[in-house]
Amino acid sequence: MTISYNWLSSYLPVTVPPERLSHILTSIGLEVESMESYEAIKGGLNGLIIGQVLSTSLHPNADKLTLTQVTLGGTETLQIVCGAPNVASGQKVIIAPVGSTIHPKTGEAMTMKKAKIRGLESHGMICAEDEIGLGESHAGILVLPDEAPLGAAASDYFQPYNDIIYEIGLTPNRSDAMSHWGVARDVCAYLSHHEGSLLKPALPEVELPAPGVALPLEIVIENSDACPRYSGVCIAGVKVAPSPRWLQDRLQSVGVRPINNIVDITNFILHETGQPLHAFDYDAIDGARVIVKNAVSGSPFKSLDSKVRTLNSEDLMICNAGSAMCIAGVFGGFDSGVSENTTNIFLESACFDPGSIRKTSFRHGLRTDAATRFEKGIDISSTVTVLQRAAVLILQEAGGQIASNVMDVFPHPAPKIKVELQYSYLRKLSGKTYPVKAVQAILETLGFVALEVSPSGMLLEVPYHKTDVSYSADIVEEILRIDGLDSIEIPGAITMTPSIDKGHRPEALKEKIATALVGLGFTEILTNSITNSRYFTETQAAKSIRLMNNLSLELDVLRPAMLPTALEVIAFNNNRKNN
């Protein structure tokens, strides 16, 4: 999972240096696999300066070149030969002086050197926007407003976005940390425990205005097992357009391509809170009804990528009165999505059954960000809060007005799980004695509620976002994470004795035989249990167990015999002279 330092820091009440934050994340079980600088504009415009064209004249030896005299704000003028058709006296422009390096949108970086162009010296370059990574245009040089400060660094004027990006090796059970908000909660729990002051992450306050107009809509859930909760709101009069700079920077920093302000806000909320959202074109909702139901087996569905998929009766769909609009929690439909012509939207925030989403996602080969989160479990209690947060952002960036009350269909509210933790069990499993107050404080910062506290233990209510916590051992893991696995002391003297197999198990005999063979000069190898079906006859391959979602053509069946994978190892070593 990708986490932006700037984005994460916006939810933290204190400033944590990047290196320390990396250490904290790894300490609490969110292992940082890489930490790299990110530049929205490669090179960050470093070395480029805002200059002004003082005069222009035709190049004496070339019809399409212009000889310019430019100033960078000092007493010295630079002579630059320019090939752009739009260069003119008086313009404020971006100058790449000798010694500076430019990073074009395409192609290699180039360091400016003093050059002779058709017999005349040129001391740098007047830049087009694509030549310095600011845009795509190469029609001419980039002309700045008259008020642009002469002599200022281009990086100070444009302030290109810079960040630090963490790649986190997230384990499958940590669905609560698949967002910046979730990671911020863990970081605050760690800081609170280790620094002795209660710190809490903060999302911006949300206050949804009352509806200004009315767009009628009815929500019906036919399969409440696959969709236990479905929330939504209508917004009228939005203007679909490119997103503002801040939103594009946030998304691009974590590898998401901006599309338009509505879709970008739903993606922003996904990475902020972990809750997937979907925006429908309200005017494409036939009958003003949203129906959550299973598909008719064999029916076709055209998805956003223009492909027609054949549906299965187990696929949960979001439908209108006449047709399917979306594969629930996985992928949108071609005809109901937000386009540049959309003016009214219906915004969905729902919770779907993890097993149902996973089966549908793999069945159709659609591994989307939304499906990845739904299949691991999301916080069912936050659908409305997140919906309101997104709606406020849409009003802010796309205009419009709320056109319905927040609709929330929640037929069977699930009670929170209760888990008992005995202090003796905590000591036994962790190898450490924790003060009761410290245990309680750690768990409270993570969202757990102590319903009962006794001298021997406590009864805890598990928050909805902790979808992986069901047993006492899970609670111990949470305490250990926040305290830090590296804080558990190892006893000074450890006595280890060999195990004695009194039962004469077959495994023990195999181990003795293997040890004897190695002693006689044999080499033991351990090979992949997945192999290539082409190694076997058609009859053997037909009897083999095939992978439904193999990652490569060479690894597509479970091995029916040991010899082919052993020969692979021998061939690999032989080809590399490793005898």
Side-chain angles (χ1 to χ4, degrees):
M1 187 184 67
T2 306
I3 289 291
S4 152
Y5 173 76
N6 291 345
W7 196 342
L8 179 62
S9 296
S10 67
Y11 308 127
L12 299 179
V14 294
T15 300
V16 183
E19 289 290 348
R20 188 184 178 213
L21 183 60
S22 176
H23 171 78
I24 290 173
L25 293 174
T26 298
S27 178
I28 58 181
L30 305 177
E31 183 182 359
V32 175
E33 296 178 339
S34 68
M35 173 183 166
E36 296 179 355
S37 296
Y38 169 83
E39 295 176 323
I41 299 174
K42 195 171 182 181
L45 304 179
N46 291 331
L48 308 186
I49 301 172
I50 296 176
Q52 186 170 24
V53 180
L54 298 176
S55 65
T56 63
S57 60
L58 290 175
H59 192 295
N61 303 320
D63 294 338
K64 294 185 178 181
L65 296 179
T66 302
L67 189 63
T68 68
Q69 299 295 324
V70 302
T71 177
L72 300 181
T75 56
E76 185 182 0
T77 60
L78 299 178
Q79 177 173 283
I80 297 177
V81 177
C82 180
N86 64 327
V87 65
S89 298
Q91 292 172 334
K92 294 284 184 68
V93 291
I94 301 294
I95 303 295
V98 172
S100 64
T101 301
I102 60 171
H103 297 264
K105 274 283 186 180
T106 57
E108 298 295 322
M110 182 170 57
T111 299
M112 294 295 105
K113 297 178 181 178
K114 186 169 70 172
K116 271 196 174 184
I117 302 176
R118 292 292 185 95
L120 295 181
E121 286 189 349
S122 182
H123 298 263
M125 187 169 85
I126 306 176
C127 303
E129 63 178 44
D130 70 321
E131 293 171 331
I132 54 177
L134 272 174
E136 305 291 340
S137 175
H138 193 69
I141 59 170
L142 177 62
V143 180
L144 303 179
D146 291 338
E147 58 270 20
L150 182 62
S155 58
D156 293 338
Y157 180 74
F158 287 99
Q159 295 186 335
Y161 183 79
N162 298 312
D163 204 344
I164 294 170
I165 303 301
Y166 302 97
E167 285 296 333
I168 293 176
L170 201 63
T171 51
N173 64 318
R174 294 301 313 279
S175 62
D176 62 299
M178 293 188 74
S179 67
H180 287 78
W181 166 250
V183 173
R185 179 173 48 224
D186 268 11
V187 172
C188 284
Y190 178 93
L191 294 173
S192 297
H193 175 65
H194 288 273
E195 297 185 359
S197 58
L198 182 61
L199 300 173
K200 293 183 178 181
L203 278 173
E205 293 291 330
V206 172
E207 186 175 346
L208 201 62
V213 293
L215 292 176
L217 191 85
E218 180 188 10
I219 297 173
V220 178
I221 299 179
E222 292 189 4
N223 185 349
S224 59
D225 291 332
C227 177
R229 188 174 192 180
Y230 192 96
S231 311
V233 68
C234 296
I235 306 175
V238 299
K239 182 174 177 56
V240 179
S243 293
R245 170 83 173 274
W246 73 266
L247 182 52
Q248 293 195 36
D249 284 339
R250 281 281 195 261
L251 293 178
Q252 288 173 331
S253 70
V254 295
V256 178
R257 180 175 62 88
I259 298 173
N260 61 51
N261 48 6
I262 305 297
V263 175
D264 290 352
I265 286 170
T266 63
N267 285 330
F268 174 83
I269 294 295
L270 171 79
H271 288 272
E272 178 183 65
T273 68
Q275 169 70 53
L277 302 177
H278 190 71
F280 296 89
D281 187 325
Y282 173 85
D283 298 307
I285 302 177
D286 186 23
R289 296 186 82 209
V290 171
I291 307 165
V292 187
K293 63 180 181 179
N294 285 78
V296 176
S297 185
S299 58
F301 176 73
K302 189 176 182 181
S303 50
L304 269 175
D305 56 2
S306 300
K307 293 183 180 179
V308 177
R309 291 178 161 82
T310 301
L311 299 176
N312 183 285
S313 60
E314 292 185 358
D315 294 332
L316 189 70
M317 307 297 293
I318 310 299
C319 306
N320 57 35
S323 61
M325 300 188 294
C326 175
I327 303 176
V330 179
F331 211 47
F334 185 80
D335 298 318
S336 61
V338 172
S339 70
E340 59 185 12
N341 299 318
T342 299
T343 55
N344 303 315
I345 65 170
F346 168 66
L347 189 62
E348 164 199 285
S349 175
C351 181
F352 301 110
D353 173 66
S356 171
I357 296 299
R358 182 171 177 80
K359 288 177 182 177
T360 295
S361 173
F362 275 99
R363 185 182 297 120
H364 296 291
L366 292 169
R367 305 298 297 146
T368 60
D369 284 344
T372 302
R373 283 159 176 80
F374 279 128
E375 72 184 20
K376 288 178 172 59
I378 64 164
D379 183 355
I380 195 172
S381 68
S382 68
T383 59
V384 171
T385 305
V386 172
L387 179 73
Q388 292 173 327
R389 162 80 168 139
V392 167
L393 278 176
I394 288 173
L395 296 180
Q396 174 185 314
E397 303 299 346
Q401 51 189 325
I402 300 299
S404 73
N405 291 318
V406 171
M407 295 162 276
D408 184 29
V409 183
F410 196 7
H412 310 294
K416 288 184 177 179
I417 293 173
K418 295 178 177 61
V419 178
E420 186 176 0
L421 175 66
Q422 294 292 325
Y423 302 135
S424 58
Y425 181 76
L426 172 60
R427 284 193 297 272
K428 177 183 176 182
L429 205 58
S430 69
K432 184 174 179 178
T433 300
Y434 288 95
V436 174
K437 287 187 177 180
V439 170
Q440 195 168 346
I442 287 173
L443 295 173
E444 284 179 356
T445 56
L446 293 173
F448 293 85
V449 176
L451 300 175
E452 298 174 12
V453 179
S454 69
S456 60
M458 58 180 69
L459 179 64
L460 297 160
E461 186 178 67
V462 180
Y464 286 114
H465 62 262
K466 284 291 182 184
T467 57
D468 66 314
V469 175
S470 303
Y471 305 101
S472 298
D474 300 324
I475 302 292
V476 175
E477 179 188 355
E478 294 297 303
I479 296 167
L480 280 170
R481 281 195 316 103
I482 301 305
D483 185 47
L485 294 172
D486 50 0
S487 69
I488 297 175
E489 295 181 4
I490 298 175
I494 299 178
T495 303
M496 299 180 69
T497 58
S499 59
I500 299 172
D501 181 41
K502 294 182 179 180
H504 302 290
R505 296 175 298 115
E507 289 79 7
L509 180 59
K510 288 179 182 179
E511 184 65 29
K512 287 181 179 179
I513 292 171
T515 302
L517 290 171
V518 169
L520 291 170
F522 287 84
T523 301
E524 183 177 10
I525 61 172
L526 181 67
T527 60
N528 197 340
S529 58
I530 306 171
T531 188
N532 193 334
S533 61
R534 290 181 293 178
Y535 292 155
F536 306 98
T537 65
E538 289 186 14
T539 304
Q540 286 177 312
K543 292 180 180 179
S544 302
I545 298 174
R546 285 189 172 272
L547 273 68
M548 293 178 64
N549 192 40
N550 53 300
L551 297 177
S552 69
L553 293 173
E554 291 75 26
L555 298 172
D556 61 342
V557 294
L558 296 184
R559 61 184 176 199
M562 301 292 285
L563 182 59
T565 52
L567 290 174
E568 271 190 329
V569 173
I570 294 168
F572 182 92
N573 285 306
N574 190 53
N575 291 339
R576 287 158 181 77
K577 309 298 182 186
N578 182 21
N579 298 320

